[in-house]
Amino acid sequence: MSVLEIRGLHKAYGGIQALDDADFVIESPGLYGLIGPNGAGKTTLFDVVAGTVQADSGSVRFGGQDITGWPSHRRALGGISRSFQECRVLPEESCLDNVLFAAQPKGLAACMWQAFTRNNAHRRRVTDEAMRLLGLVRLQGHAHTPAAQLSFGQKRLLELVSVFMSSPRLLLLDEPASGVNPALLEVLSDFICTMYAEEARAFLIVEHNMEFIMALASDIIVMHQGKVLERGSPQAVQASPRVLEAYLG
Ligand SMILES: Nc1ncnc2c1ncn2[C@@H]1O[C@H](COP(=O)(O)OP(=O)(O)OP(=O)(O)O)[C@@H](O)[C@H]1O
Ligand SMILES: [Mg+2]
């Protein structure tokens, strides 16, 4: 059973065809890169898979189930988690509270979660895990600092930690390395590798930083004009004449 099956997705915004028969399958857990020029449809694809945008046509299957009509909170509960291109954190809240907030199921399950977490042992386990992950990205010392006081790269790391708190099976990371300085980039890629080594999940990572994504991912999907232009190993896509012409050349 595949992790994610994208079939014939179309999405138009007025006269712009953001997705134009986007079609690919992620068969198994792993580190996958999703690259392509500005406007290729990468973020729109994430929006459709996460359920915040409905496609005009086509289907999405996750873990063998057709989730095309599912609302976003149901997909999140089912194991799809994402980060955002523009980086979303709660600026007024502490780093720890940002991560704990992400651990709460949203929507209908929230009330049940609140009742459940009156159990102190459970609450301690969640907090311990939040602190462990903050430690992995060197933010442990900032646990009680408002997120607004972090550098941009640290905010990216905080958002990334938060994405893991819902026990996802599929992670959609939208340009996690964008705006992150070289020292933190290493922390970022080490964190992703550690989380993958701990549990085999599927990571689909949109990036424009080619050095970063080619070193991290073993399978690269290239989008152009709303569809998949090429797919293969980092070496193969970097040598592809079509990819060189549309993006990397
Ligand atoms: N909400 C929207 N309203 C109107 N047009 C949109 C909307 N979202 C995306 N588009 C358009 O759809 C196309 C695909 O956009 P998308 O953001 O998916 O591209 P992308 O591959 O993520 O690009 P980038 O690398 O710049 O982030 C673009 O032409 C964009 O302007
Ligand atoms: Mg984008």
Side-chain angles (χ1 to χ4, degrees):
M1 183 201 314
S2 61
V3 178
L4 181 69
E5 195 175 322
I6 302 294
R7 290 297 179 207
L9 285 182
H10 288 83
K11 175 68 191 176
Y13 288 110
I16 297 168
Q17 200 65 46
L19 295 176
D20 186 10
D21 200 24
D23 198 286
F24 65 87
V25 178
I26 290 183
E27 291 289 355
S28 53
L31 297 167
Y32 299 84
L34 182 62
I35 67 169
N38 296 120
K42 304 177 300 293
T43 297
T44 304
L45 182 86
F46 275 14
D47 292 339
V48 169
V49 174
T52 50
V53 165
Q54 282 297 316
D56 299 329
S57 61
S59 66
V60 180
R61 295 181 80 84
F62 173 57
Q65 248 182 325
D66 189 339
I67 63 165
T68 311
W70 288 21
S72 57
H73 70 266
R74 191 171 169 203
R75 299 182 196 212
L77 278 172
I80 298 177
S81 190
R82 77 176 293 187
S83 69
F84 292 89
Q85 184 165 347
E86 69 277 15
C87 185
R88 294 188 187 175
V89 295
L90 303 168
E92 309 293 324
E93 306 302 327
S94 72
C95 292
L96 180 59
D97 283 345
N98 264 272
V99 181
L100 293 177
F101 179 75
Q104 292 181 51
K106 310 299 184 292
L108 286 177
C111 295
M112 286 174 66
W113 187 89
Q114 275 155 13
F116 188 50
T117 51
R118 289 197 187 106
N119 173 334
N120 281 338
H122 174 78
R123 192 179 312 173
R124 212 167 29 246
R125 268 201 307 279
V126 174
T127 306
D128 285 352
E129 177 62 358
M131 289 302 290
R132 184 181 79 87
L133 298 191
L134 285 171
L136 286 176
V137 297
R138 303 187 191 167
L139 286 177
Q140 205 162 16
H142 296 282
H144 303 292
T145 305
Q149 291 181 23
L150 300 179
S151 70
F152 184 74
Q154 287 173 319
K155 286 182 190 144
R156 281 246 184 251
L157 291 168
L158 176 62
E159 188 193 28
L160 191 57
V161 163
S162 301
V163 163
F164 283 92
M165 290 303 291
S166 55
S167 306
R169 288 181 289 145
L170 171 65
L171 293 109
L172 308 170
L173 308 180
D174 202 346
E175 301 195 31
S178 170
V180 179
N181 70 43
L184 289 186
L185 267 187
E186 206 175 313
V187 176
L188 180 73
S189 62
D190 285 352
F191 178 67
I192 291 173
C193 291
T194 300
M195 296 309 286
Y196 178 57
E198 281 186 6
E199 190 181 328
R201 327 168 199 238
F203 292 71
L204 187 55
I205 306 168
V206 168
E207 254 313 324
H208 285 292
N209 181 333
M210 288 303 109
E211 200 182 331
F212 177 86
I213 196 65
M214 295 298 173
L216 188 63
S218 52
D219 191 351
I220 307 280
I221 298 161
V222 188
M223 282 185 73
H224 181 48
Q225 297 178 340
K227 52 172 75 62
V228 174
L229 177 74
E230 192 71 87
R231 179 168 182 176
S233 67
Q235 296 74 16
V237 297
Q238 287 176 100
S240 159
R242 282 190 296 187
V243 177
L244 287 168
E245 190 189 348
Y247 184 43
L248 295 180

